[in-house]
Amino acid sequence: MIYIFSAFYAEAKNIIDHYDLKKEKSPETVRFDVFANDSIRLVITGVGEINAAAAVSNIGGAYGISHDDEILNVGCGAGFSNETCLGSIFLGNKLTEHMTGRTFYPDMLMKTNLRECEIVTVARVFSEGCDSIVYDMEAAAVYQAAAFFVGPHRMHFIKLVSDAGERIDQSKITELFALQEEKICGYIDMLLSACADKASIDDTKSAWNIDRLISDMRCSKVMGDQLAQLIKYCRLSGIDYKAVLDEYYTKGMLPCESKREGKKCLFELKQRLL
């Protein structure tokens, strides 16, 4: 499942229409508007870090966000340079919480045509800022709340520059997002494809699946996360990792007999696949 969090309906309208998401009759414990289909659940959080963190926590608890799910924060922000001009979109490769100075780094595993930038999350609207930075009011909070459910390789942040610190009409925001619908939904399609591939390798009819692979390699929690990231990177990059793993099982290199042997196997896999 892909969980999308947006502050305003205006930011999410084009995604809702594109994927024919329907307003969901949510559990009584859910305090936010939710739009969904079989693969996507989109949540309107409201503005600001408190609302964003509350929404991720509320949805995560009510629906049971798993470590295999994807978290995507889509919203607008302010830009103050020619590089971050009105209507441009960016993928966040670094998040900074302005109030605390803390920084967070989503793992950038997918190859896309989206430009990357730092996102600074602020508590109030700024009227000026640094070049090559987009300023928003939710991203850092989404990251911190989502970290209770998924790893940084399953967090994604797309921001559209809607203003330079001035007030902007909601209808204008929807218009700007409509101009970038193809790119934003193209990114979501990549996530959907990755989820489909994940489901296929977890099929019980397969010779192996990701849970069995982690067990057979005697992975610790850290090793398991590294292995999952490696598999995801290979899927998104079109690397034929399945043939290599089938070879390991055929030749008796898997399952491993010890954690030490598993570490060696994981290292060799990285060398061979990357």
Side-chain angles (χ1 to χ4, degrees), residues 56 95 104-107 138-148 151-152 155 157:
V56 175
L95 312 177
F104 312 96
Y105 295 89
D107 288 341
E138 293 86 28
V142 170
Y143 184 102
Q144 292 175 82
F148 286 96
M155 298 189 207
F157 300 84

Side-chain angles (χ1 to χ4, degrees), residues 4 30 55 58 76 90 114 149 166 183 206 212 215 228 250:
I4 302 175
V30 172
N58 184 210
C76 56
F90 295 88
L114 298 182
F149 304 98
E166 73 280 6
K183 289 184 178 180
S206 301
R212 178 187 166 188
S215 176
T250 301

Side-chain angles (χ1 to χ4, degrees), residues 103-175:
T103 56
F104 312 96
Y105 295 89
D107 288 341
M108 312 300 288
L109 298 180
M110 295 205 307
K111 295 181 179 179
T112 75
N113 293 324
L114 298 182
R115 287 183 290 172
E116 299 178 9
C117 79
E118 178 183 358
I119 299 170
V120 174
T121 299
V122 298
R124 59 180 177 79
V125 177
F126 278 23
S127 58
E128 59 181 6
C130 301
D131 291 348
S132 305
I133 289 176
V134 173
Y135 295 83
D136 90 322
M137 301 179 75
E138 293 86 28
V142 170
Y143 184 102
Q144 292 175 82
F148 286 96
F149 304 98
V150 302
H153 59 296
R154 297 198 184 277
M155 298 189 207
H156 316 265
F157 300 84
I158 294 178
K159 296 295 169 177
L160 178 145
V161 179
S162 60
D163 59 88
E166 73 280 6
R167 285 186 175 274
I168 182 170
D169 186 80
Q170 297 288 297
S171 61
K172 181 63 176 178
I173 291 175
T174 299
E175 289 176 10

Side-chain angles (χ1 to χ4, degrees), residues 96-271:
T96 299
E97 187 174 48
H98 182 263
M99 185 177 294
T100 64
R102 296 181 66 192
T103 56
F104 312 96
Y105 295 89
D107 288 341
M108 312 300 288
L109 298 180
M110 295 205 307
K111 295 181 179 179
T112 75
N113 293 324
L114 298 182
R115 287 183 290 172
E116 299 178 9
C117 79
E118 178 183 358
I119 299 170
V120 174
T121 299
V122 298
R124 59 180 177 79
V125 177
F126 278 23
S127 58
E128 59 181 6
C130 301
D131 291 348
S132 305
I133 289 176
V134 173
Y135 295 83
D136 90 322
M137 301 179 75
E138 293 86 28
V142 170
Y143 184 102
Q144 292 175 82
F148 286 96
F149 304 98
V150 302
H153 59 296
R154 297 198 184 277
M155 298 189 207
H156 316 265
F157 300 84
I158 294 178
K159 296 295 169 177
L160 178 145
V161 179
S162 60
D163 59 88
E166 73 280 6
R167 285 186 175 274
I168 182 170
D169 186 80
Q170 297 288 297
S171 61
K172 181 63 176 178
I173 291 175
T174 299
E175 289 176 10
L176 290 172
F177 272 96
L179 295 174
Q180 297 288 3
E181 180 178 335
E182 183 177 350
K183 289 184 178 180
I184 294 171
C185 291
Y187 191 92
I188 295 171
D189 287 342
M190 291 178 68
L191 292 178
L192 288 170
S193 178
C195 289
D197 285 347
K198 177 12 175 106
S200 72
I201 69 169
D202 278 349
D203 191 324
T204 55
K205 295 179 181 178
S206 301
W208 54 269
N209 58 53
I210 190 65
D211 291 332
R212 178 187 166 188
L213 185 60
I214 289 173
S215 176
D216 287 350
M217 207 173 287
R218 305 293 186 263
C219 289
S220 64
K221 178 65 170 62
V222 173
M223 287 171 61
D225 289 344
Q226 291 176 350
L227 180 58
Q229 289 187 45
L230 175 64
I231 296 298
K232 180 179 179 181
Y233 175 81
C234 290
R235 289 202 310 269
L236 297 174
S237 303
I239 298 171
D240 188 7
Y241 63 93
K242 293 183 180 180
V244 175
L245 288 170
D246 286 341
E247 177 188 326
Y248 272 49
Y249 276 105
T250 301
K251 292 183 176 180
M253 300 167 69
L254 284 170
C256 299
E257 294 185 357
S258 65
K259 186 181 293 186
R260 181 176 181 180
E261 190 175 311
K263 287 182 178 180
K264 181 180 177 182
C265 185
L266 179 58
F267 177 78
E268 290 175 354
L269 273 177
K270 288 180 180 179
Q271 294 292 105

Side-chain angles (χ1 to χ4, degrees), residues 18-38:
H18 185 97
Y19 292 102
D20 194 26
L21 305 182
K22 303 300 184 184
K23 190 167 184 179
E24 195 167 56
K25 186 177 180 180
S26 304
E28 291 184 2
T29 54
V30 172
R31 298 291 183 261
F32 301 87
D33 287 339
V34 180
F35 300 82
N37 62 20
D38 291 340

